[in-house]
Amino acid sequence: MSETSEPNHIRAVERWALIFSAVLIGGAMVFCGPRAQLGTTLGSALMLINLWIMRRLGSRLLRLLLGPRASVTGIVVLFNGKLLLLAALMYLCIRHLPVDPVAFILGVSVLPGAIVAHAIDFGMRRTEDLKPSTPHEEG
């Protein structure tokens, strides 16, 4: 993969996550109570911040990985540390803030939903690109 293709995928996932977050938070503001509103907003915000950090770290670390002093171990440790921090923040939000846990998890689900949406979108584009420009006739 080229160095420029990776950030484009992450940016596309960020766009999907923003769309899903806006729809989810908007729906919560109209149909749910304050605890669910706070839960969806905090869950979505954590995932959007997570994506932003992954993009920033990923682009910098990709340059290091392609450089002369590549250390995959350091990158894995850094991303695992970020994951542990994210898990701790999620625990603290659910434990100490007046949020509805189901709504919070729905907010967190914007990240996997955005990844799946981008994968489907990207896969559909790829199959269209692979189709021949002129149809060939069979038998």
Side-chain angles (χ1 to χ4, degrees):
M1 277 192 200
S2 70
E3 189 174 347
T4 57
S5 69
E6 283 303 317
N8 291 335
H9 286 297
I10 294 176
R11 285 184 192 271
V13 171
E14 282 180 333
R15 280 191 295 274
W16 280 107
L18 282 169
I19 291 167
F20 289 163
S21 295
V23 169
L24 184 65
I25 292 169
M29 293 298 172
V30 172
F31 297 111
C32 299
R35 293 183 62 199
Q37 293 170 358
L38 182 62
T40 55
T41 303
L42 280 176
S44 296
L46 272 176
M47 290 302 106
L48 291 172
I49 292 167
N50 182 32
L51 274 170
W52 181 78
I53 290 171
M54 281 195 304
R55 182 172 50 87
R56 300 282 295 186
L57 283 177
S59 64
R60 288 183 181 160
L61 294 176
L62 188 60
R63 280 183 257 137
L64 288 175
L65 186 61
L66 297 175
R69 298 182 344 157
S71 170
V72 176
T73 306
I75 294 171
V76 169
V77 168
L78 187 63
F79 276 104
N80 281 332
K82 181 196 66 75
L83 183 63
L84 286 174
L85 178 65
L86 183 64
L89 286 172
M90 290 171 65
Y91 171 78
L92 290 173
C93 284
I94 291 175
R95 181 80 173 135
H96 297 292
L97 294 177
V99 298
D100 179 11
V102 174
F104 182 79
I105 295 303
L106 279 174
V108 168
S109 71
V110 299
L111 177 57
I115 292 169
V116 170
H118 174 62
I120 291 170
D121 182 41
F122 184 72
M124 291 177 75
R125 280 194 212 152
R126 284 292 175 202
T127 56
E128 290 171 359
D129 292 343
L130 295 176
K131 290 181 184 174
S133 57
T134 58
H136 39 299
E137 300 170 16
E138 294 183 23

